[in-house]
Amino acid sequence: FLLRLADLEEKVGDARKAGALLRRGVEENPRSLQAIGELARFYERTKEISGRNVLLDSSLALLREDLQRNPGDVEALRTTVPLLR
C-alpha cells in the first residue's frame, strides 16, 4: 500500500512525500525485497547514490545477522542475492 502511494505521489511531483512513504515501507518491513528495491530505485532516480548505498548496506547487515542466527533461512538467502547484485 505504501509503495503504491509513493508511486502516486511521485507521479504528481511530490518527491519528498514519495521518499518518506518509501522509507516508511522499508521501516515497517525491513526484509522486504520489494520495499528495499523500490526505495533503492527512488534514490537512483533522485541521484541520491549515498542514500541508496546506506540502504543496501544496512539491509544486507540485517540479513547477515539473520543468517548468522539461522544459516538455513532460505528467505534471507533469497533476499540477499538480489541485493548483492
Side-chain angles (χ1 to χ4, degrees), residues 18-80:
L21 288 166
L22 290 169
R23 282 187 291 279
R24 184 172 158 207
V26 171
E27 287 171 5
E28 289 187 12
N29 196 353
R31 291 167 181 83
S32 167
L33 183 58
Q34 183 180 11
I36 295 166
E38 290 298 323
L39 183 54
R41 284 187 285 282
F42 173 78
Y43 283 145
E44 289 173 0
R45 286 191 301 276
T46 58
K47 310 275 191 274
E48 293 182 48
I49 301 305
S50 61
R52 182 198 61 156
N53 292 341
V54 168
L55 168 69
L56 295 175
D57 287 345
S58 62
S59 297
L60 285 169
L62 180 65
L63 291 166
R64 180 176 175 243
E65 290 174 13
D66 290 348
L67 287 170
Q68 284 177 334
R69 274 186 260 129
N70 181 10
D73 187 353
V74 176
E75 275 308 307
L77 286 171
R78 285 186 182 147
T79 304
T80 301

